[in-house]
Amino acid sequence: MNGTDEADGLLGAVLRVSGSPGPHQLLGSGGPILVTSLEGSKTVLTSPDDFVTPFDVSRNRVRRHRPSGGVRSKETPPLSAGAARTGAEHLASELTDLDIQVGASAAVDALDLVRIPVARSTAAALLPAQRECDRSHLADLTLAWIDALGPVIAAPRPPRSWTPTRRTERRSRMDLVEALSRHGVEDPVAVSTALAAGVQVPVAASAWCLVQLAARPELHAELQDDPRLVLPVVWEVLRLFPPTWLLPRVTTKAVVIQGMDIPAYRSVVVSPVALGQLVELVPGPEDGESPRSEVDPTRWRNAAQKPGAWLPFGAGQHACPGRNLGLEQLRQIVDWSRRFDLRGRASPGVDQTRGLTPRDSRIDLRRRTEPSKVSAR
């Protein structure tokens, strides 16, 4: 409940060496090398010729990497301000409908609660020319592909092409790509990937926000009275529970990072959750704030440090193109939670099998009898 400092597995290994003066090899001989500094992490993420992505979103090996010659284009450009605004406006409408569904009280799974609103909001941002009914159908197909991707991502090794898991994932992906093509969407393969990433990540992050607030009634009560805490809550959850918490790369040649000689064809990882523990990026006890392992959004009220410096949206060619939309989606959902009293049904453990998601995301909502103060944007 206090954060991820007592996590086991790979997450625990990453956190135990975060802040080390140099790169650290994880999981014994032959394991990936964790880059522990912000400068080194930026080098890895912004040098696509030297550090290439090993797998695509479906965990298929990426076999071709074209040298950029100093210039490299993104498959999906950043969302325009207008597109992000369209998605945010659609989410506001979806949350109004969600109010009616929840009623006076409800016991819900936070992951299930936000799936459809976020998926439709993302589809509205990426596919503004489509009719609303078509966007809703495409959002449903995106969710079906995300569900089929779950077992692929969670498997210890990428499943073989002939396995039922892989066939189900491939069929769900092609259903979405073919539907996008029928609707005249340009480059449906790239758009399908953008839809999946633009839905899965904010769904997981939104669930973390709700689960963590439900586990901390005192914090949620403070949030209800002070809307200025809405965005700090979002940043704090993205610091401790970023859904995309490992960014893997493979070296294409011998490189030097943080003084370590790393040979060609070695796995290197950058971890926003590890960077979120760095003294220079996050206020902590020496600044009169809570330990960095604890969820405490108030640390950002008067902080000299800038929230998000720990790269929760990545950097470089593969940085999240929907950063502005994702932040606004999370802000709206946290603000929406102020209309209710939240209680957690279990201690929120961490599931590492597909990014970072709550192990138990059940929460209880009860509508407040006194309205919350108006949110400050």
Side-chain angles (χ1 to χ4, degrees), residues 229-240:
L229 273 179
V230 169
L231 201 52
V233 165
V234 170
W235 281 121
E236 188 71 342
V237 168
L238 287 175
R239 181 179 71 85
L240 283 167

Side-chain angles (χ1 to χ4, degrees), residues 14-144:
V14 166
L15 289 171
R16 281 191 292 273
V17 299
S18 64
S20 297
H24 198 94
Q25 186 165 301
L26 302 171
L27 306 179
S29 176
I33 296 172
L34 174 71
V35 179
T36 57
S37 73
L38 178 62
E39 181 180 357
S41 297
K42 286 183 175 179
T43 297
V44 170
L45 297 179
T46 59
S47 306
D49 291 339
D50 301 336
F51 303 90
V52 298
T53 53
F55 298 101
D56 63 16
V57 68
S58 297
R59 289 189 76 185
N60 292 309
R61 189 177 297 278
V62 177
R63 300 187 182 278
R64 286 187 179 180
H65 294 282
R66 293 177 299 171
S68 65
V71 178
R72 190 179 276 250
S73 61
K74 292 174 67 72
E75 288 186 3
T76 306
L79 274 182
S80 66
R85 186 165 52 250
T86 297
E89 291 170 353
H90 197 90
L91 180 60
S93 175
E94 290 289 331
L95 292 176
T96 298
D97 293 342
L98 200 59
D99 266 347
I100 299 172
Q101 296 176 35
V102 172
S105 64
V108 300
D109 184 302
L111 283 167
D112 291 339
L113 182 72
V114 299
R115 274 168 55 94
I116 292 177
V118 168
R120 291 180 177 177
S121 167
T122 301
L126 292 178
L127 304 167
Q130 301 297 319
R131 296 181 303 170
E132 185 169 353
C133 60
D134 293 333
R135 287 202 307 261
S136 295
H137 176 60
L138 292 168
D140 290 342
L141 291 176
T142 302
L143 290 172

Side-chain angles (χ1 to χ4, degrees), residues 8 19 24 78-80 87 97 103 111 134 183 190 207 209 217 261 275 288 328 339 363-364:
D8 57 8
H24 198 94
L79 274 182
S80 66
D97 293 342
L111 283 167
D134 293 333
H183 287 292
C209 288
D261 293 320
L275 296 177
E328 179 60 17
R339 307 176 195 180
I363 60 174
D364 294 323

Side-chain angles (χ1 to χ4, degrees), residues 68-304:
S68 65
V71 178
R72 190 179 276 250
S73 61
K74 292 174 67 72
E75 288 186 3
T76 306
L79 274 182
S80 66
R85 186 165 52 250
T86 297
E89 291 170 353
H90 197 90
L91 180 60
S93 175
E94 290 289 331
L95 292 176
T96 298
D97 293 342
L98 200 59
D99 266 347
I100 299 172
Q101 296 176 35
V102 172
S105 64
V108 300
D109 184 302
L111 283 167
D112 291 339
L113 182 72
V114 299
R115 274 168 55 94
I116 292 177
V118 168
R120 291 180 177 177
S121 167
T122 301
L126 292 178
L127 304 167
Q130 301 297 319
R131 296 181 303 170
E132 185 169 353
C133 60
D134 293 333
R135 287 202 307 261
S136 295
H137 176 60
L138 292 168
D140 290 342
L141 291 176
T142 302
L143 290 172
W145 181 28
I146 290 171
D147 290 341
L149 269 172
V152 174
I153 296 171
R157 296 178 180 274
R160 301 281 187 176
S161 61
W162 47 265
T163 61
T165 296
R166 179 64 79 182
R167 291 202 303 268
T168 299
E169 182 271 326
R170 185 166 53 243
R171 184 167 55 250
S172 298
R173 170 163 41 93
M174 292 311 302
D175 285 346
L176 174 59
V177 170
E178 290 169 3
L180 289 167
S181 181
R182 286 197 303 272
H183 287 292
V185 175
E186 185 177 353
D187 199 350
V189 173
V191 172
S192 66
T193 300
L195 280 168
V199 172
Q200 174 61 19
V201 173
V203 164
S206 297
W208 273 122
C209 288
L210 295 176
V211 164
Q212 291 297 326
L213 289 171
R216 295 167 173 79
E218 299 83 1
L219 173 59
H220 194 236
E222 188 174 357
L223 172 70
Q224 289 169 327
D225 292 335
D226 186 358
R228 293 172 298 177
L229 273 179
V230 169
L231 201 52
V233 165
V234 170
W235 281 121
E236 188 71 342
V237 168
L238 287 175
R239 181 179 71 85
L240 283 167
F241 307 98
T244 306
W245 68 284
L246 277 183
L247 305 173
R249 298 290 187 269
V250 173
T251 59
T252 60
K253 64 181 182 181
V255 296
V256 178
I257 294 289
Q258 292 179 256
M260 175 185 279
D261 293 320
I262 302 176
Y265 312 117
R266 282 302 307 274
S267 296
V268 175
V269 293
V270 170
S271 177
V273 77
L275 296 177
Q277 298 294 318
L278 295 183
V279 172
E280 62 267 31
L281 301 183
V282 181
E286 64 278 2
D287 306 300
E289 303 293 348
S290 301
R292 293 177 182 82
S293 61
E294 295 184 3
V295 176
D296 184 5
T298 62
R299 75 174 79 245
W300 300 111
R301 277 176 165 165
N302 303 303

